[in-house]
Amino acid sequence: MLGLVRRRWRPDPGGGGAMSPRRLELILLLILVVAAAIAVSLGESPLNAAQYHQALTDPASPPGEVLWTIRLPRVLMAALVGAGLGLAGATMQGLLRNPLAEPGVLGVSASAGLGASLAIAGGLAALPGAIELAALVGALLAGGAVVGLAARFREPEVLILFGVALSAFAGALTALVFNLSPSPVAVAEVLAWLMGSVENRDFTDILRALPPMAIGAGLCLYAARGLRMLTLGEEAAQMSGLPMARLRVAAVAGSALLAGASVAATGVIGFVGLAAPHLVRAAVRDDPGRLLRPSALAGAVLLVAADLAARVIPTEQELKLGVVTALFGAPVFALLAWRAARSWRS
């Protein structure tokens, strides 16, 4: 891993042959709309055209209950969290100049999971929003530590190593919660939370997740200029006249907020932040500034599709969303690591 950290990834910021960002975003938005339409149609009780019409005209009807109460909030939450993770992943890869970086690399996801675990084990699950608040507090504490480190050190290796240590420590404390919890029910709830899911989410949950994710997205987009300048190296970035220290802190804080709010809303869902930027990277010629919004849309498409797969795969119990993303994401991560190792040797 240290070898991957030391060998810097240097994207090609050139624009030759790159697709127009607006065109790419429009294509991804259309794909997202189609994927969402399919996702709200399929399930244990598929909706046909007549049932769609009935659901739209009479929300209190059985098809209306299925559409407005169960499926649409679930799809919207998946899209929102996927967009947040995709944007955070693209920001981290640009900031650390490492194609294998993703939101969990800073320890924010693990710390958010620890906060949720402590709330569940402490018997706070019955309080509305308590688990989500505890997860967000854990993420913000970790993000604050990383932001302080980013303001002091410019080297991406320092942030990566600190994030790895923080993730390991938070993971160890979460395991300690498992070990010391006197209630098997609490242990089962913690495990279910850590596997991630958008099941049983409603519009209130979406509205609760929106403010921190909107702030995080704004900070990441504000940092886009700095990410683009970093492709030229630290010295060129410092000589550009841009407030690089401020932009670096904004990138870390925005990614931490996005990852933390995502874990608070749905539990731990991995690999979306890693895979989404790579799906659209070639279309923008590796320009980290132009990669952010397409990565958010790609992440939304990925998570909507993954949640649909979790619902339609025939199993006795519905698969957890985090399990599905890990099953597909781990091979993608291995492939990316293998390709990166080959490129660095050549």
Side-chain angles (χ1 to χ4, degrees), residues 3-251:
L4 296 181
V5 171
R6 291 193 186 101
R7 296 297 300 270
R8 299 280 183 86
W9 166 57
R10 299 186 181 276
D12 175 16
M19 182 183 295
S20 165
R22 291 186 178 180
R23 182 181 178 187
L24 176 61
E25 291 163 17
L26 179 59
I27 292 173
L28 290 169
L29 183 60
L30 291 175
I31 295 174
L32 177 59
V33 170
V34 172
I38 296 173
V40 297
S41 301
L42 299 181
E44 187 175 346
S45 301
L47 298 178
N48 55 35
Q51 290 171 322
Y52 257 125
H53 182 266
Q54 185 180 6
L56 293 174
T57 56
D58 184 11
S61 64
E65 289 286 337
V66 171
L67 176 63
W68 297 103
T69 306
I70 300 175
R71 291 190 186 165
L72 186 59
R74 180 171 183 161
V75 170
L76 291 177
M77 179 62 86
L80 177 64
V81 171
L85 293 175
L87 178 56
T91 303
M92 282 294 94
Q93 290 176 15
L95 177 67
L96 302 178
R97 284 160 286 165
N98 190 321
L100 304 181
E102 56 101 19
V105 76
L106 296 182
V108 175
S109 297
S111 300
L114 172 62
S117 301
L118 290 173
I120 295 172
L124 301 179
L127 299 178
I131 299 176
E132 291 82 356
L133 179 60
L136 188 57
V137 168
L140 291 177
L141 289 176
V146 176
V147 166
L149 200 69
R152 185 172 181 180
F153 299 99
R154 295 184 304 175
E155 296 80 3
E157 294 89 345
V158 176
L159 292 181
I160 293 176
L161 294 175
F162 180 79
V164 170
L166 186 58
S167 292
F169 185 65
L173 291 180
T174 303
L176 187 63
V177 172
F178 274 98
N179 195 24
L180 299 180
S181 178
S183 170
V185 176
V187 171
E189 289 181 357
V190 171
L191 181 60
W193 180 269
L194 293 178
M195 287 192 292
S197 175
V198 291
E199 187 178 5
N200 299 326
R201 299 307 190 270
D202 56 26
F203 288 109
T204 302
D205 297 317
I206 296 174
L207 293 176
R208 191 182 295 129
L210 271 176
M213 296 194 77
I215 296 173
L219 289 172
C220 288
L221 294 175
Y222 168 73
R225 297 175 301 162
L227 300 182
R228 182 179 293 112
M229 191 57 61
L230 279 174
T231 61
L232 303 178
E234 286 285 349
E235 293 184 1
Q238 292 300 324
M239 295 173 60
S240 66
L242 294 176
M244 291 305 300
R246 188 188 308 166
L247 293 174
R248 187 179 285 105
V249 169

Side-chain angles (χ1 to χ4, degrees), residues 81-94 98-105 109 259 262 269-281 291 295-296 298-300 302-303 325 329 332-333 336:
V81 171
L85 293 175
L87 178 56
T91 303
M92 282 294 94
Q93 290 176 15
N98 190 321
L100 304 181
E102 56 101 19
V105 76
S109 297
S262 298
I269 297 175
F271 294 104
V272 175
L274 171 71
H278 288 277
L279 294 178
V280 295
R281 190 180 304 282
L291 185 65
S295 295
L302 278 178
L303 209 55
T325 58
V332 172
F333 182 84
L336 291 174

